[in-house]
mmCIF file with all atom_site columns, all heavy atoms in Angstrom:
data_model
loop_
_atom_site.group_PDB
_atom_site.id
_atom_site.type_symbol
_atom_site.label_atom_id
_atom_site.label_alt_id
_atom_site.label_comp_id
_atom_site.label_asym_id
_atom_site.label_entity_id
_atom_site.label_seq_id
_atom_site.pdbx_PDB_ins_code
_atom_site.Cartn_x
_atom_site.Cartn_y
_atom_site.Cartn_z
_atom_site.occupancy
_atom_site.B_iso_or_equiv
_atom_site.pdbx_formal_charge
_atom_site.auth_seq_id
_atom_site.auth_comp_id
_atom_site.auth_asym_id
_atom_site.auth_atom_id
_atom_site.pdbx_PDB_model_num
ATOM 1  N N   . TYR A 1 256 ? -25.377 3.874  -5.326  1.00 98.00 ? 280 TYR A N   1
ATOM 2  C CA  . TYR A 1 256 ? -26.190 4.556  -6.315  1.00 98.00 ? 280 TYR A CA  1
ATOM 3  C C   . TYR A 1 256 ? -25.878 6.151  -6.149  1.00 98.00 ? 280 TYR A C   1
ATOM 4  O O   . TYR A 1 256 ? -25.579 6.565  -5.165  1.00 98.00 ? 280 TYR A O   1
ATOM 5  C CB  . TYR A 1 256 ? -27.637 4.388  -6.220  1.00 98.00 ? 280 TYR A CB  1
ATOM 6  C CG  . TYR A 1 256 ? -28.091 2.896  -6.177  1.00 98.00 ? 280 TYR A CG  1
ATOM 7  C CD1 . TYR A 1 256 ? -28.410 2.201  -4.957  1.00 98.00 ? 280 TYR A CD1 1
ATOM 8  C CD2 . TYR A 1 256 ? -28.047 2.244  -7.318  1.00 98.00 ? 280 TYR A CD2 1
ATOM 9  C CE1 . TYR A 1 256 ? -28.668 0.879  -5.073  1.00 98.00 ? 280 TYR A CE1 1
ATOM 10 C CE2 . TYR A 1 256 ? -28.322 0.909  -7.513  1.00 98.00 ? 280 TYR A CE2 1
ATOM 11 C CZ  . TYR A 1 256 ? -28.710 0.192  -6.323  1.00 98.00 ? 280 TYR A CZ  1
ATOM 12 O OH  . TYR A 1 256 ? -28.985 -1.218 -6.332  1.00 98.00 ? 280 TYR A OH  1
ATOM 13 N N   . GLY A 1 257 ? -26.074 6.792  -7.274  1.00 98.00 ? 281 GLY A N   1
ATOM 14 C CA  . GLY A 1 257 ? -26.041 8.228  -7.293  1.00 98.00 ? 281 GLY A CA  1
ATOM 15 C C   . GLY A 1 257 ? -27.269 9.071  -7.308  1.00 98.00 ? 281 GLY A C   1
ATOM 16 O O   . GLY A 1 257 ? -27.298 10.243 -7.404  1.00 98.00 ? 281 GLY A O   1
ATOM 17 N N   . ASN A 1 258 ? -28.298 8.357  -7.152  1.00 98.00 ? 282 ASN A N   1
ATOM 18 C CA  . ASN A 1 258 ? -29.791 8.909  -7.139  1.00 98.00 ? 282 ASN A CA  1
ATOM 19 C C   . ASN A 1 258 ? -30.651 7.903  -6.472  1.00 98.00 ? 282 ASN A C   1
ATOM 20 O O   . ASN A 1 258 ? -30.399 6.787  -6.260  1.00 98.00 ? 282 ASN A O   1
ATOM 21 C CB  . ASN A 1 258 ? -30.227 9.154  -8.555  1.00 98.00 ? 282 ASN A CB  1
ATOM 22 C CG  . ASN A 1 258 ? -30.371 7.922  -9.356  1.00 98.00 ? 282 ASN A CG  1
ATOM 23 O OD1 . ASN A 1 258 ? -31.392 7.290  -9.354  1.00 98.00 ? 282 ASN A OD1 1
ATOM 24 N ND2 . ASN A 1 258 ? -29.380 7.540  -10.131 1.00 98.00 ? 282 ASN A ND2 1
ATOM 25 N N   . ASN A 1 259 ? -31.839 8.438  -6.082  1.00 98.00 ? 283 ASN A N   1
ATOM 26 C CA  . ASN A 1 259 ? -32.772 7.672  -5.347  1.00 98.00 ? 283 ASN A CA  1
ATOM 27 C C   . ASN A 1 259 ? -33.622 6.657  -6.213  1.00 98.00 ? 283 ASN A C   1
ATOM 28 O O   . ASN A 1 259 ? -34.095 5.570  -5.758  1.00 98.00 ? 283 ASN A O   1
ATOM 29 C CB  . ASN A 1 259 ? -33.847 8.544  -4.551  1.00 98.00 ? 283 ASN A CB  1
ATOM 30 C CG  . ASN A 1 259 ? -33.212 9.284  -3.495  1.00 98.00 ? 283 ASN A CG  1
ATOM 31 O OD1 . ASN A 1 259 ? -32.167 8.819  -2.887  1.00 98.00 ? 283 ASN A OD1 1
ATOM 32 N ND2 . ASN A 1 259 ? -33.768 10.429 -3.071  1.00 98.00 ? 283 ASN A ND2 1
ATOM 33 N N   . GLU A 1 260 ? -33.812 7.071  -7.467  1.00 98.00 ? 284 GLU A N   1
ATOM 34 C CA  . GLU A 1 260 ? -34.613 6.177  -8.355  1.00 98.00 ? 284 GLU A CA  1
ATOM 35 C C   . GLU A 1 260 ? -34.019 4.841  -8.648  1.00 98.00 ? 284 GLU A C   1
ATOM 36 O O   . GLU A 1 260 ? -34.572 3.902  -8.514  1.00 98.00 ? 284 GLU A O   1
ATOM 37 C CB  . GLU A 1 260 ? -34.869 6.945  -9.646  1.00 98.00 ? 284 GLU A CB  1
ATOM 38 C CG  . GLU A 1 260 ? -35.738 8.222  -9.571  1.00 98.00 ? 284 GLU A CG  1
ATOM 39 C CD  . GLU A 1 260 ? -34.975 9.422  -8.858  1.00 98.00 ? 284 GLU A CD  1
ATOM 40 O OE1 . GLU A 1 260 ? -33.873 9.404  -8.877  1.00 98.00 ? 284 GLU A OE1 1
ATOM 41 O OE2 . GLU A 1 260 ? -35.763 10.212 -8.357  1.00 98.00 ? 284 GLU A OE2 1
ATOM 42 N N   . CYS A 1 261 ? -32.722 4.808  -8.929  1.00 98.00 ? 285 CYS A N   1
ATOM 43 C CA  . CYS A 1 261 ? -32.058 3.555  -9.096  1.00 98.00 ? 285 CYS A CA  1
ATOM 44 C C   . CYS A 1 261 ? -32.016 2.716  -7.944  1.00 98.00 ? 285 CYS A C   1
ATOM 45 O O   . CYS A 1 261 ? -32.172 1.522  -7.971  1.00 98.00 ? 285 CYS A O   1
ATOM 46 C CB  . CYS A 1 261 ? -30.554 3.805  -9.725  1.00 98.00 ? 285 CYS A CB  1
ATOM 47 S SG  . CYS A 1 261 ? -30.414 4.454  -11.328 1.00 98.00 ? 285 CYS A SG  1
ATOM 48 N N   . ALA A 1 262 ? -31.836 3.328  -6.757  1.00 98.00 ? 286 ALA A N   1
ATOM 49 C CA  . ALA A 1 262 ? -31.799 2.639  -5.450  1.00 98.00 ? 286 ALA A CA  1
ATOM 50 C C   . ALA A 1 262 ? -33.143 1.924  -5.190  1.00 98.00 ? 286 ALA A C   1
ATOM 51 O O   . ALA A 1 262 ? -33.220 0.815  -4.798  1.00 98.00 ? 286 ALA A O   1
ATOM 52 C CB  . ALA A 1 262 ? -31.534 3.539  -4.315  1.00 98.00 ? 286 ALA A CB  1
ATOM 53 N N   . GLN A 1 263 ? -34.249 2.733  -5.540  1.00 98.00 ? 287 GLN A N   1
ATOM 54 C CA  . GLN A 1 263 ? -35.610 2.127  -5.348  1.00 98.00 ? 287 GLN A CA  1
ATOM 55 C C   . GLN A 1 263 ? -35.884 0.914  -6.243  1.00 98.00 ? 287 GLN A C   1
ATOM 56 O O   . GLN A 1 263 ? -36.444 -0.070 -5.917  1.00 98.00 ? 287 GLN A O   1
ATOM 57 C CB  . GLN A 1 263 ? -36.645 3.206  -5.509  1.00 98.00 ? 287 GLN A CB  1
ATOM 58 C CG  . GLN A 1 263 ? -38.056 2.803  -5.234  1.00 98.00 ? 287 GLN A CG  1
ATOM 59 C CD  . GLN A 1 263 ? -38.174 2.503  -3.705  1.00 98.00 ? 287 GLN A CD  1
ATOM 60 O OE1 . GLN A 1 263 ? -38.098 3.045  -2.872  1.00 98.00 ? 287 GLN A OE1 1
ATOM 61 N NE2 . GLN A 1 263 ? -38.849 1.192  -3.517  1.00 98.00 ? 287 GLN A NE2 1
ATOM 62 N N   . ARG A 1 264 ? -35.465 1.160  -7.517  1.00 98.00 ? 288 ARG A N   1
ATOM 63 C CA  . ARG A 1 264 ? -35.810 0.171  -8.579  1.00 98.00 ? 288 ARG A CA  1
ATOM 64 C C   . ARG A 1 264 ? -34.943 -1.074 -8.363  1.00 98.00 ? 288 ARG A C   1
ATOM 65 O O   . ARG A 1 264 ? -35.483 -2.279 -8.583  1.00 98.00 ? 288 ARG A O   1
ATOM 66 C CB  . ARG A 1 264 ? -35.717 0.804  -10.004 1.00 98.00 ? 288 ARG A CB  1
ATOM 67 C CG  . ARG A 1 264 ? -36.156 -0.012 -11.145 1.00 98.00 ? 288 ARG A CG  1
ATOM 68 C CD  . ARG A 1 264 ? -36.147 0.673  -12.413 1.00 98.00 ? 288 ARG A CD  1
ATOM 69 N NE  . ARG A 1 264 ? -34.852 0.986  -12.855 1.00 98.00 ? 288 ARG A NE  1
ATOM 70 C CZ  . ARG A 1 264 ? -34.150 0.195  -13.634 1.00 98.00 ? 288 ARG A CZ  1
ATOM 71 N NH1 . ARG A 1 264 ? -34.676 -0.843 -14.076 1.00 98.00 ? 288 ARG A NH1 1
ATOM 72 N NH2 . ARG A 1 264 ? -32.913 0.647  -14.091 1.00 98.00 ? 288 ARG A NH2 1
ATOM 73 N N   . LEU A 1 265 ? -33.732 -0.994 -8.052  1.00 98.00 ? 289 LEU A N   1
ATOM 74 C CA  . LEU A 1 265 ? -32.842 -2.089 -8.043  1.00 98.00 ? 289 LEU A CA  1
ATOM 75 C C   . LEU A 1 265 ? -32.519 -2.665 -6.655  1.00 98.00 ? 289 LEU A C   1
ATOM 76 O O   . LEU A 1 265 ? -32.063 -3.807 -6.666  1.00 98.00 ? 289 LEU A O   1
ATOM 77 C CB  . LEU A 1 265 ? -31.456 -1.644 -8.689  1.00 98.00 ? 289 LEU A CB  1
ATOM 78 C CG  . LEU A 1 265 ? -31.560 -1.229 -10.173 1.00 98.00 ? 289 LEU A CG  1
ATOM 79 C CD1 . LEU A 1 265 ? -30.099 -0.875 -10.617 1.00 98.00 ? 289 LEU A CD1 1
ATOM 80 C CD2 . LEU A 1 265 ? -32.064 -2.373 -11.146 1.00 98.00 ? 289 LEU A CD2 1
ATOM 81 N N   . SER A 1 266 ? -32.873 -1.953 -5.610  1.00 98.00 ? 290 SER A N   1
ATOM 82 C CA  . SER A 1 266 ? -32.619 -2.587 -4.299  1.00 98.00 ? 290 SER A CA  1
ATOM 83 C C   . SER A 1 266 ? -33.888 -2.373 -3.331  1.00 98.00 ? 290 SER A C   1
ATOM 84 O O   . SER A 1 266 ? -33.712 -2.818 -2.124  1.00 98.00 ? 290 SER A O   1
ATOM 85 C CB  . SER A 1 266 ? -31.418 -1.640 -3.653  1.00 98.00 ? 290 SER A CB  1
ATOM 86 O OG  . SER A 1 266 ? -30.199 -2.142 -4.359  1.00 98.00 ? 290 SER A OG  1
ATOM 87 N N   . GLY A 1 267 ? -34.917 -1.694 -3.891  1.00 96.00 ? 291 GLY A N   1
ATOM 88 C CA  . GLY A 1 267 ? -36.116 -1.501 -3.038  1.00 96.00 ? 291 GLY A CA  1
ATOM 89 C C   . GLY A 1 267 ? -35.757 -0.590 -1.767  1.00 96.00 ? 291 GLY A C   1
ATOM 90 O O   . GLY A 1 267 ? -36.431 -0.904 -0.735  1.00 96.00 ? 291 GLY A O   1
ATOM 91 N N   . ILE A 1 268 ? -35.039 0.443  -1.987  1.00 97.00 ? 292 ILE A N   1
ATOM 92 C CA  . ILE A 1 268 ? -34.636 1.397  -0.930  1.00 97.00 ? 292 ILE A CA  1
ATOM 93 C C   . ILE A 1 268 ? -35.035 2.769  -1.221  1.00 97.00 ? 292 ILE A C   1
ATOM 94 O O   . ILE A 1 268 ? -34.855 3.193  -2.329  1.00 97.00 ? 292 ILE A O   1
ATOM 95 C CB  . ILE A 1 268 ? -33.062 1.328  -0.780  1.00 97.00 ? 292 ILE A CB  1
ATOM 96 C CG1 . ILE A 1 268 ? -32.648 -0.015 -0.241  1.00 97.00 ? 292 ILE A CG1 1
ATOM 97 C CG2 . ILE A 1 268 ? -32.724 2.366  0.236   1.00 97.00 ? 292 ILE A CG2 1
ATOM 98 C CD1 . ILE A 1 268 ? -33.278 -0.540 1.099   1.00 97.00 ? 292 ILE A CD1 1
#
Side-chain angles (χ1 to χ4, degrees):
Y280 306 107
N282 64 86
N283 291 337
E284 292 73 21
C285 289
Q287 182 67 54
R288 189 167 69 89
L289 298 179
S290 293
I292 295 299

